[in-house]
Amino acid sequence: MNTAFSMPSRALSRRRLAIITAAALAIAAMVIARTPSGAGADSQTSNVAANCSALGINLSATVPVTVTDTPDPATAGGQVTLDIESGLPTLTLTVTINSATINIPIPSQVQSVDSVTFTGGNVTPSWSVSATHLSLTFTGPISSTAIQIPKATIVQTIKPGTAGQTIQWKTFSSIVSNAVLGTTPLTANCTPTDPNQVLNTTAIQAPATTTTTAPPTTTTTAPPTTTTTAPPTTTTTA
């Protein structure tokens, strides 16, 4: 084996993977993290560790993620909104990011993902829903030094009959990032070190109960009727 060639090449491969990993996890952090959005919001910050692989190289990375749910507590049969915020890591090499797809598990207490809206950014966002996951895709091409991830607002409806339960918002289940370094296409696949890591929770309460009281019933009784009988008439014959 020509170690003079293979060792630098392997080191370069690790640098390439590090760049793609950083870009992929940064996008994932933007998708999973939530910004506070008013009364009833609950914000938690966690460090999400992930294992990524590409070019036959494995690399570990950690991204700080802030998760905020609104409202908290939420109501069974009502909606909960998740907003997004995160910073981008410093990249030591420039790559062209073609796309990145982040798959996020949908908690069992969620009945439906009603909408995902995006604000700002310079990549093209899209989303899709399967039975168990919400997938968010960001499409370039865009340089890793210029990428701006749009804010995502995710509105979901909670299943009726779940009062008393707690929703666990878990980290992403997988990330696939496609990029190009120079003319070399690269794909990084990332999975969380702990797929059961809970980034935040939402308590579910019962919907308010409305009690309607019927107005009182008034009964009117007619006054008694008095009957006057004339005295008998006496006739005298002469």
Side-chain angles (χ1 to χ4, degrees):
M1 177 183 294
N2 186 344
T3 56
F5 173 79
S6 61
M7 293 301 291
S9 296
R10 188 171 182 82
L12 179 58
S13 295
R14 290 186 65 86
R15 291 184 68 196
R16 291 173 175 173
L17 177 58
I19 297 305
I20 300 176
T21 298
L25 292 181
I27 294 174
M30 298 292 275
V31 171
I32 299 171
R34 279 79 178 175
T35 54
S37 55
D42 175 44
S43 179
Q44 299 290 334
T45 299
S46 307
N47 288 321
V48 177
N51 298 314
C52 298
S53 62
L55 303 173
I57 303 297
N58 295 319
L59 185 69
S60 298
T62 301
V63 175
V65 177
T66 301
V67 176
T68 303
D69 54 336
T70 308
D72 190 356
T75 302
Q79 291 183 322
V80 61
T81 298
L82 306 176
D83 296 317
I84 300 168
E85 182 183 52
S86 179
L88 289 170
T90 300
L91 304 181
T92 57
L93 290 177
T94 299
V95 298
T96 298
I97 300 173
N98 290 324
S99 68
T101 298
I102 300 92
N103 298 305
I104 305 171
I106 299 174
S108 61
Q109 294 87 356
V110 171
Q111 178 172 274
S112 64
V113 177
D114 303 325
S115 67
V116 180
T117 56
F118 301 92
T119 306
N122 58 2
V123 289
T124 301
S126 59
W127 63 283
S128 62
V129 177
S130 67
T132 59
H133 283 78
L134 167 65
S135 297
L136 301 178
T137 299
F138 299 92
T139 303
I142 186 73
S143 170
S144 58
T145 60
I147 187 171
Q148 297 175 15
I149 305 301
K151 174 183 176 181
T153 300
I154 306 168
V155 179
Q156 301 169 88
T157 295
I158 302 172
K159 292 178 181 177
T162 54
Q165 299 182 29
T166 298
I167 302 174
Q168 293 185 333
W169 304 107
K170 295 184 179 181
T171 186
F172 61 88
S173 59
S174 65
I175 308 169
V176 179
S177 181
N178 296 294
V180 176
L181 177 59
T183 58
T184 304
L186 304 169
T187 299
N189 294 280
C190 302
T191 56
T193 302
D194 179 8
N196 292 315
Q197 181 178 359
V198 177
L199 304 183
N200 206 338
T201 60
T202 302
I204 305 175
Q205 62 186 5
T209 302
T210 302
T211 302
T212 303
T213 303
T217 302
T218 302
T219 302
T220 303
T221 303
T225 302
T226 302
T227 302
T228 303
T229 305
T233 302
T234 301
T235 302
T236 303
T237 304

